[in-house]
Amino acid sequence: MFKFLLVHGSGHGAWCFEKLVKELKNKGHIAEAIDLPGHGNNKIPIKDVTLEKYSSEILKSLVSPTILLGHSMGGYPISLAAETDPTYIKHLIYLTAFVPEDGKSLADMRNKVDQYPLTSVIKKTEDGLGFYIPKKNQKDIFYNDCSKQDINLASEKLCVQAIKPQNTPIKLGVNFKKISRSYISCLDDRAIPIELQKKLSTSIPKENKYEIKSGHSPFFSKPADLANILEKIASKTYDH
């Protein structure tokens, strides 16, 4: 039995992991998903949303050795949590996620490719503090291989993403470096193209890299396949 904590990406919440949590529990594991501050049921004003608060929320949720999964933007807060207090963090899994580099913000990491797909479709809020993906673009960018039911659910639940956490440079040191890591690439991802995923995952050992034939949201489109990969990663982690 393994324990997982699932951390969502931009504009999402714990709601997006419902199928994956069910798959992992059916395999006999403990799996939980959380809402980062400003997402889902964790309501705070957008001006107060920070990368540090994201990290703190993750650490508050850890009470025993746990494998942390970060999807997309979620790669940054799980990394900061590992640097801040690695006590209960057994392993980090980046699911088509941003793996940070010391001193760089998530926005900096996007510049590893000439063209970043979200740039052409995101809209900023009037106050300039957040951004969102218009409904007409959501399927193509996030859910190209997902069911209509899942697309409709997401359309109802997606929230504005605070910009501040993504513009905040991260400080990483020895704590982060000593935590083992894996990367799961999504081969048909239209939000974080495979070219960028490969550049983001250069620091991950080859034997800890996995692939899934899906778009940006395999927790919707391939939850059973994703759960199998997570179980494989966990088994290898606990063998060491």
Side-chain angles (χ1 to χ4, degrees):
M1 181 184 76
F2 307 121
K3 187 173 184 181
F4 299 90
L5 183 69
L6 312 176
V7 180
H8 60 80
S10 295
H12 286 69
W15 52 266
C16 71
F17 290 120
E18 191 174 327
K19 286 183 179 181
L20 181 57
V21 166
K22 187 176 179 182
E23 291 287 346
L24 289 168
K25 285 182 174 178
N26 285 344
K27 287 173 167 290
H29 306 305
I30 298 168
E32 296 174 356
I34 60 167
D35 289 321
L36 294 175
H39 298 256
N41 294 320
N42 194 342
K43 309 287 188 191
I44 67 169
I46 193 167
K47 65 180 177 59
D48 296 331
V49 178
T50 64
L51 179 58
E52 189 176 7
K53 281 184 179 171
Y54 282 172
S55 168
S56 296
E57 193 67 29
I58 292 167
L59 291 173
K60 275 198 310 188
S61 304
L62 300 175
V63 294
S64 60
T66 301
I67 294 173
L68 273 186
L69 177 142
H71 174 246
S72 195
M73 173 276 286
Y76 257 67
I78 67 167
S79 303
L80 184 56
E83 175 59 34
T84 305
D85 184 0
T87 306
Y88 292 129
I89 299 175
K90 183 74 177 172
H91 188 77
L92 298 174
I93 300 176
Y94 296 86
L95 173 60
T96 186
F98 285 87
V99 182
E101 293 175 9
D102 183 41
K104 293 189 177 179
S105 69
L106 186 150
D108 293 330
M109 302 301 284
R110 291 191 196 117
N111 296 329
K112 285 183 174 284
V113 288
D114 294 330
Q115 287 188 312
Y116 182 64
L118 288 182
T119 308
S120 61
V121 297
I122 60 172
K123 302 289 183 188
K124 277 192 177 180
T125 54
E126 284 186 21
D127 58 15
L129 297 177
F131 71 82
Y132 61 95
I133 309 291
K135 193 170 183 177
K136 64 179 181 179
N137 302 116
Q138 291 169 6
K139 178 183 176 181
D140 188 50
I141 291 287
F142 286 155
Y143 314 116
N144 53 297
D145 58 344
C146 299
S147 70
K148 196 170 182 179
Q149 185 180 359
D150 289 331
I151 294 166
N152 290 339
L153 169 73
S155 182
E156 290 172 16
K157 299 274 191 180
L158 280 171
C159 65
V160 170
Q161 172 62 46
I163 291 173
K164 191 193 298 180
Q166 304 199 357
N167 285 344
T168 304
I170 195 169
K171 291 182 180 179
L172 299 171
V174 292
N175 284 345
F176 174 67
K177 286 177 184 173
K178 72 183 181 185
I179 302 289
S180 59
R181 286 162 254 167
S182 297
Y183 199 96
I184 304 172
S185 291
C186 295
L187 299 178
D188 192 24
D189 194 327
R190 298 180 186 177
I192 303 179
I194 192 66
E195 178 196 1
L196 180 53
Q197 292 177 58
K198 285 178 179 175
K199 289 181 177 181
L200 291 169
S201 60
T202 51
S203 65
I204 308 286
K206 188 178 178 182
E207 64 271 18
N208 287 357
K209 290 181 180 178
Y210 301 81
E211 294 178 345
I212 187 167
K213 190 163 175 49
S214 77
H216 190 62
S217 307
F219 40 79
F220 278 149
S221 62
K222 299 275 181 75
D225 292 350
L226 182 54
N228 287 338
I229 294 173
L230 298 186
E231 188 173 55
K232 190 182 294 185
I233 292 171
S235 297
K236 198 157 82 170
T237 300
Y238 278 84
D239 280 345
H240 284 70

